[in-house]
Amino acid sequence: MGFTPGAAPQERTGLRPKAAEAARLFLDHHGLAPPSGTWSHQSELRVGVGMASSTADIVATLRCLHTYLGIPYDLDTVLRVLSSIERADSVFLDEFALHLSNRHRIVRRLGTALRFRTAYITEPGVVDTEAVTRTLQQFYRRRPDAYGQALTGLLDGFSARDPVAVARASTQSAALSQEVLPKETFETVLAHQGRFGADGVFVAHTGCLVGYLFCRPFSGRTRSDLTAFFASLGHQCSFAQGGFR
């Protein structure tokens, strides 16, 4: 998010609805009038596919306001604003975390030691997070042991700084997600994991993403093979690094 001060009344055309609501709540909290100027927005995150785009918009808007108004960044205020708008992902943190998205509570900070490479695709369609929340929660309650095992593996992996264990837990969680919000390509992607030397599979639990986790850099040949593989499934492969160092 960007804000350019000007003499004209504040324009919110550069803000999506949730970001505009976040700006209003933030300014009300500090007893401030909307500053005059214009907003600009730029993002590589697609909406409705599981990339936490709406939360990212809100957090970016709040960080922009903190900077422009000279107000020290305050995590409590960010959480208060988020909790008034939506169930949120933990993109407001600069580290991995176990985070209760519906309660807006950080349970455990998991640090910045681990890093992953990813190769993924986005299947067609969008997912309305609010519309599927109840369905997901009901499913979680039916499978507490399975999700508990995945969570334990995840936390143990972070504690031991073992990215392979974290990737393994991600695969368990992705397989569970297939039972409630299935991805068309998941079974094929899972079946070919060993072919590419991937350490795990991940999905967007409230979205359309599916892909591989790698704990080490992979070769240009592997990158080409992954691109060709996903193209054979009818999708364009994207690559990204995950982590904070």
Side-chain angles (χ1 to χ4, degrees), residues 121-160:
I121 59 173
T122 305
E123 295 185 349
V126 297
V127 174
D128 184 338
T129 302
E130 294 181 5
V132 301
T133 294
R134 184 174 181 182
T135 299
L136 286 169
Q137 290 175 339
Q138 290 174 342
F139 179 72
Y140 297 154
R141 294 188 185 102
R142 293 198 300 269
R143 300 299 303 276
D145 292 340
Y147 273 107
Q149 290 174 2
L151 177 59
T152 298
L154 181 82
L155 296 178
D156 288 348
F158 273 106
S159 295

Side-chain angles (χ1 to χ4, degrees), residues 62 73 163 214:
L62 296 179
Y73 186 74
F214 295 85

Side-chain angles (χ1 to χ4, degrees), residues 59-223:
V59 172
T61 301
L62 296 179
R63 284 178 170 167
C64 184
L65 283 169
H66 275 106
T67 300
Y68 175 70
L69 297 171
I71 299 173
Y73 186 74
D74 177 22
L75 181 58
D76 288 339
T77 300
V78 172
L79 287 171
R80 187 178 300 112
V81 171
L82 282 170
S83 65
S84 300
I85 299 174
E86 67 171 8
R87 171 184 174 185
D89 293 279
S90 58
V91 297
F92 52 86
L93 295 174
D94 293 324
E95 63 180 311
F96 292 110
L98 176 60
H99 174 252
L100 299 182
S101 61
N102 203 41
R103 297 183 183 179
H104 301 86
R105 183 163 68 88
I106 302 166
V107 178
R108 187 186 305 181
R109 294 174 182 266
L110 302 175
T112 61
L114 302 188
R115 192 168 186 173
F116 299 92
R117 274 77 177 176
T118 71
Y120 67 92
I121 59 173
T122 305
E123 295 185 349
V126 297
V127 174
D128 184 338
T129 302
E130 294 181 5
V132 301
T133 294
R134 184 174 181 182
T135 299
L136 286 169
Q137 290 175 339
Q138 290 174 342
F139 179 72
Y140 297 154
R141 294 188 185 102
R142 293 198 300 269
R143 300 299 303 276
D145 292 340
Y147 273 107
Q149 290 174 2
L151 177 59
T152 298
L154 181 82
L155 296 178
D156 288 348
F158 273 106
S159 295
R161 296 191 174 187
D162 181 354
V164 175
V166 172
R168 188 183 308 119
S170 172
T171 305
Q172 291 177 288
S173 184
L176 285 166
S177 177
Q178 191 69 1
E179 298 179 28
V180 60
L181 286 179
K183 313 296 187 287
E184 181 180 351
T185 59
F186 175 78
E187 298 298 339
T188 303
V189 170
L190 180 63
H192 286 79
Q193 176 184 338
R195 168 185 170 188
F196 301 108
D199 296 287
V201 175
F202 75 96
V203 300
H205 288 263
T206 56
C208 311
L209 270 68
V210 56
Y212 292 120
L213 288 172
F214 295 85
C215 299
R216 298 178 181 82
F218 45 80
S219 67
R221 175 60 183 273
T222 299
R223 185 184 181 98

